[in-house]
Amino acid sequence: MCYIWYHHLVAQTIFIARHGQDEDNSHGILNGQRDTPLTDIGREQANVLAEQISKRGLSFDHILSSPLKRAYETAQIITNKINFTKPIQVLPDLIERDFGILTGKPVTDIARVCGDNVIKTDRITYFLSPKGAETFPQLIQRGRKVLSEIDQQNLVGNILLVCHGDIGQMIYAAATGKPWREVLTEFRFGNGDLIEPNSDNPHVLTQTQHNL
């Protein structure tokens, strides 16, 4: 699912989008910082996201992307659809969370490796601290660093960040000041949906049949 958020800063509106489905997503693999490309469904989802951006009359002054293929390709699809002519800026800190020993493992391994050290929602199980993985408090710190890097570059206007599930939610937490546990259970950040939330009540604008 693809989500969009906004956060108001001085002369800035920051939007956050998640990439479309990638090959690991389609096979139930925990990808983290693995660099697999979009599937055909993922490209379809990115196109739907771009269409929603166009329909809502949104334009961007800057588009920043994670260095991973699935995010950068999503950003490219958006720029082509909305005729954004500036270069996409790759921001390394937009990379997905390091999943540690769970990187490349099937989603079903979460219970075996983590036991009760998880947060369960209706559809997602978030693992908290398997060996070698970034924790959510660490990820919030990286989210704050992303926002600081944007300020340091003096970027103004509408800014789109194209990234991933866990880091995207923690950027949202950093921007709104909400506790990370609350953010994880407040809404789902998957491939294929478009969301325009405010700080109180994110709401789904579109939803494809390919929910991951």
Side-chain angles (χ1 to χ4, degrees):
M1 287 175 279
C2 295
Y3 289 86
I4 273 188
W5 284 294
Y6 64 83
H7 170 63
H8 292 290
L9 300 171
V10 177
Q12 293 177 348
T13 303
I14 296 180
F15 298 77
I16 307 170
R18 185 178 173 185
H19 60 80
Q21 181 198 74
D22 75 336
E23 291 179 355
D24 279 345
N25 294 154
S26 68
H27 294 111
I29 299 299
L30 296 164
N31 47 14
Q33 297 181 359
R34 281 162 58 96
D35 200 10
T36 56
L38 296 179
T39 62
D40 288 342
I41 288 174
R43 294 183 187 95
E44 176 189 341
Q45 291 168 340
N47 273 291
V48 169
L49 171 59
E51 288 168 5
Q52 290 298 318
I53 288 169
S54 294
K55 286 179 181 178
R56 294 183 65 80
L58 292 174
S59 62
F60 301 109
D61 298 285
H62 307 277
I63 296 180
L64 285 65
S65 172
S66 158
L68 297 180
K69 293 174 185 175
R70 58 191 185 270
Y72 193 82
E73 186 177 357
T74 299
Q76 286 180 312
I77 290 170
I78 293 170
T79 61
N80 291 337
K81 185 76 82 172
I82 68 173
N83 297 316
F84 181 86
T85 57
K86 295 180 182 178
I88 298 167
Q89 180 183 341
V90 173
L91 190 64
D93 280 320
L94 288 174
I95 198 168
E96 178 60 303
R97 177 189 183 191
D98 186 340
F99 285 3
I101 61 171
L102 283 175
T103 302
K105 303 297 184 184
V107 173
T108 52
D109 274 11
I110 294 175
R112 178 182 62 81
V113 172
C114 300
D116 294 331
N117 193 26
V118 297
I119 292 177
K120 289 187 177 181
T121 68
D122 57 344
R123 296 188 62 182
I124 301 292
T125 298
Y126 295 99
F127 53 85
L128 298 182
S129 54
K131 185 177 180 180
E134 285 182 277
T135 66
F136 285 106
Q138 288 171 332
L139 214 55
I140 282 187
Q141 290 299 321
R142 182 143 64 85
R144 291 177 181 139
K145 185 179 177 185
V146 167
L147 298 176
S148 177
E149 287 172 346
I150 291 170
D151 287 342
Q152 288 171 10
Q153 291 186 41
N154 294 314
L155 300 185
V156 297
N158 287 353
I159 301 166
L160 176 65
L161 309 180
V162 185
C163 56
H164 310 270
D166 286 2
I167 181 59
Q169 285 179 292
M170 293 303 101
I171 294 171
Y172 176 85
T176 61
K178 291 187 175 184
W180 61 268
R181 289 178 182 269
E182 178 181 329
V183 169
L184 292 180
T185 56
E186 181 181 12
F187 59 88
R188 187 162 171 268
F189 191 41
N191 313 86
D193 289 342
L194 177 66
I195 285 190
E196 184 184 12
N198 54 42
S199 61
D200 298 318
N201 186 31
H203 59 283
V204 177
L205 300 176
T206 65
Q207 187 172 39
T208 72
Q209 63 181 336
H210 308 295
N211 269 330
L212 296 171

